[in-house]
Amino acid sequence: TAAPTSNANSNDQEETSNTELLYLLDLRSEAEFQERHLASGVVVPNKLPTGQQAGQSFSSDVAFHVVNIPLDELKKRRFELPPRHRSFAVLMNNLQTKSNLLKLEEYLIGPSSSRSVEVKQQSPQQQQQQQPNGTVSARKKRKRQGRPQKPWKVIGLISGDDDSETWKQADSLGLLITLPETNKSLETNNIHHFCPLPRLWEPDVMVRDLLLPAILKQAFGGQEQQDQVVVNDPTVETLNNNNDSATKNTYIEVWDLGAGSGRDVCFLGEELKHHFMLEKQNTKSENQISFHILAMDQRYRSSTTKAKSEQEECKEFWSRRGVGDCISCLEIDLMNDDTIMSSLEQLANKACSHDEGKTILVIFAVRFWSRSLVEHFVSRKLRQQCSTCSNVTVIFAISQFGKASIDAKWNFEHPKEKHVLERNELVDIFSSNKEKEEQNQTGWLVSHDRVV
């Protein structure tokens, strides 16, 4: 839970020309956070005292970027933490409590050397008692765990106790947010407008920098720009030549193939909701824009036990971020091309059935790659049924590991080379040459191709 940030783009900027962001993870309970917390996005002068306490000095002004994840929920919500290369500070109560420090160590920093020694000093009998299957299960466990991960870059701890100097300093700097202000901010965010909440995690760079702008450009009837993704060429031409396209009703359907923990769809949901509500407030256009996002993954199975399923955890995540009403999930076998194509064709029929206005169908995948599935998509019924509708625009985008140049070597253990894109592989699949256009085999325009 967090109060909305006033700047929708502040989540994605490491720093501005005059301001550096200090990322702060608040591990207190949700009730304690709402009662009192540090403000996000408020710029304060350099040499910030709490920043110095956190082991960081600043050459420019500073703004906190604050996110609340209660300590007891941290283990299951680690997908909401920042990338492991990003430095951040931690604010928590009872810093001297051993149990809290052990949890912090386990979830963020890694196991302590003392506990590692204890494990190494266990006798074979003790190890056998803890793991009846012995070394076989241990090998399986190591295989499941894969490569060891680096700890997060925690640069320091800040006390959140009631008698801490943190709150006095925050109040003097205009950084203190109390319960009445929190309630007012949340109420405003729900009723009058919507702003994305502060986040420590990052969406995929393709989703943030290319796909979102492409969706917004199509939704608002803007002209084609250079930084676009794979778009259905004939439909784009029709929309760009239609001067009153912005006055039509618009429906946007977004599909994420292999959505995983659901961060990319959550990002799109927050940003689209923000932009469309802002557009409705600031203009008198009669254009009604609605959207729905569908996260697809074979891991979204309903739980038959007391433990929450990944589907339920995703739904809770989206609800916390204020977009649970516009995102849903679908369990689907991504390894079965026929099954997924049949499902996508049924979904496309439903998405393209809007009689008035225009429909934008967005299909994207991040680090999920199936050559046969993409080739089926390009050539089969799904593309054809969408392209025959004059009011439907299709955007297809993929972000995947790939070779930087033609004939480049792949010298990495993960992912395997067979799952890596050749430099021009996507271009070869989606590009439309004259011969194919005459045969009406593709009809796609590759409008962006980048290696990052």
Side-chain angles (χ1 to χ4, degrees), residues 40 65 110 137 197 231 242 246 326 347 391 396 409:
S40 289
H65 197 75
S137 293
L197 297 174
V231 183
N242 190 348
C326 55
L347 290 168
N391 64 334
F396 193 99
K409 301 295 184 182

Side-chain angles (χ1 to χ4, degrees), residues 76 301 303 305-313 316:
K76 68 177 182 179
R301 296 182 178 90
S303 176
T305 65
K306 292 182 179 180
K308 290 183 179 179
S309 66
E310 290 190 51
Q311 179 180 146
E312 293 170 323
E313 290 179 352
E316 288 184 357

Side-chain angles (χ1 to χ4, degrees), residues 113-131:
S113 57
S114 61
R115 282 186 289 164
S116 298
V117 171
E118 287 178 8
V119 173
K120 292 178 181 178
Q121 290 177 345
Q122 286 180 330
S123 66
Q125 291 80 6
Q126 290 174 320
Q127 293 179 5
Q128 186 71 18
Q129 290 175 356
Q130 290 188 0
Q131 178 52 264

